[in-house]
Amino acid sequence: NAALAHYSPSNGSSRTLSVSEMYLFDTGGQYLDGTTDITRTVHWGEPSPLQKEAYTRVLMGNIDLSRLVFPSNTAGRTVESFARRALWDVGLNYGHGTGHGIGNFLSVHEWPVGFQSNNVALEAGMFTSIEPGYYRDGEFGIRIEDVALVVEAQTESGEKPFLTFEVVSLVPYDRKLIDLSLLSPEQIRYLNSYYKKIRAHVGPELQRQQLEEAYEWLQESTEP
């Protein structure tokens, strides 16, 4: 059912999970100090070559937009194609927005921040999701969604203000679905840096809560 980008369950459409399929879960919670909206796609069996390539290209788009440096007062619609480029290269695309503003203990989808044509220019301090995807009707759906904070970027020229994103979601991606041969050295460096950050922030908290099984999973999932 994940091939439907905004699927809602019903008694007639419910299905049993199996290890032979991809599973997409869009999760989140509202806390006193913020709202989360995180999507991950996993496969508990052996993905097909198409599934693996499509997932990797969605991840490449997520990384490319997350690490982008751009001038201040740039509208989200101006940069959102960076999230689609790796898919466009092979004739794939997705039919929903690339991201939306996220409220603080308010609306999960908070206008006017985001990447659609009617959104405002991005400014430091804004929170937005970054969520490219790919969906093949009747077969599978892929989406990788992170929450990102717009921050000022340090540029070689020293001219400012330029902006970039700081991803604040600290959840590993599914290693089984990543085709490393498609990733550029810059994308791999970004992944390694992201995984190092996850280990540093989440690892000690899992140990504090004595969640050893989760800690071991985290260590395996964030290997360089």
Side-chain angles (χ1 to χ4, degrees):
N1 294 318
L4 300 173
H6 294 106
Y7 166 74
S8 295
S10 68
N11 289 335
S13 66
S14 301
R15 296 174 56 234
T16 302
L17 296 177
S18 83
V19 297
S20 63
E21 298 173 285
M22 297 182 101
Y23 179 55
L24 185 159
F25 53 105
D26 190 336
T27 74
Q30 290 191 313
Y31 308 91
L32 293 176
D33 53 357
T35 300
T36 65
D37 190 9
I38 304 167
T39 304
R40 291 293 182 264
T41 305
V42 299
H43 200 304
W44 293 306
E46 288 302 319
S48 69
L50 172 62
Q51 290 174 331
K52 194 169 181 177
E53 178 173 356
Y55 179 94
T56 303
R57 291 186 178 278
V58 171
L59 178 61
M60 291 163 68
N62 181 292
I63 293 172
D64 287 347
L65 184 53
S66 296
R67 60 186 294 271
L68 185 69
V69 176
F70 53 92
S72 62
N73 295 318
T74 297
R77 66 179 180 274
T78 305
V79 298
E80 77 100 40
S81 59
F82 282 87
R84 299 179 185 266
R85 183 172 57 181
L87 289 164
W88 286 353
D89 282 344
V90 291
L92 304 179
N93 202 8
Y94 53 93
H96 59 73
T98 296
H100 54 81
I102 295 177
N104 177 29
F105 205 59
L106 291 167
S107 172
V108 178
H109 288 215
E110 186 176 73
W111 191 84
V113 180
F115 296 98
Q116 284 75 46
S117 60
N118 60 341
N119 293 120
V120 299
L122 295 166
E123 296 179 19
M126 291 178 170
F127 280 96
T128 181
S129 69
I130 294 177
E131 51 180 302
Y134 175 69
Y135 310 87
R136 181 157 288 215
D137 288 350
E139 295 186 40
F140 61 86
I142 300 166
R143 187 162 65 256
I144 301 174
E145 176 184 22
D146 288 309
V147 179
L149 171 65
V150 183
V151 296
E152 286 196 8
Q154 303 298 319
T155 60
E156 289 185 12
S157 70
E159 293 186 14
K160 61 180 185 180
F162 271 66
L163 302 174
T164 188
F165 298 102
E166 176 188 343
V167 173
V168 297
S169 306
L170 300 177
V171 183
Y173 308 116
D174 190 344
R175 304 176 75 89
K176 183 181 292 185
L177 285 165
I178 300 174
D179 182 351
L180 280 177
S181 69
L182 294 175
L183 299 183
S184 69
E186 292 79 11
Q187 290 166 338
I188 292 174
R189 279 196 292 270
Y190 175 92
L191 265 184
N192 284 333
S193 175
Y194 179 57
Y195 282 173
K196 185 177 180 181
K197 182 179 180 181
I198 294 175
R199 280 189 172 188
H201 285 77
V202 183
E205 178 63 21
L206 295 177
Q207 289 181 308
R208 187 187 69 81
Q209 296 187 33
Q210 298 183 323
L211 297 171
E212 291 305 319
E213 185 178 357
Y215 179 77
E216 290 175 7
W217 173 86
L218 186 80
Q219 293 300 104
E220 293 174 2
S221 300
T222 54
E223 283 286 333

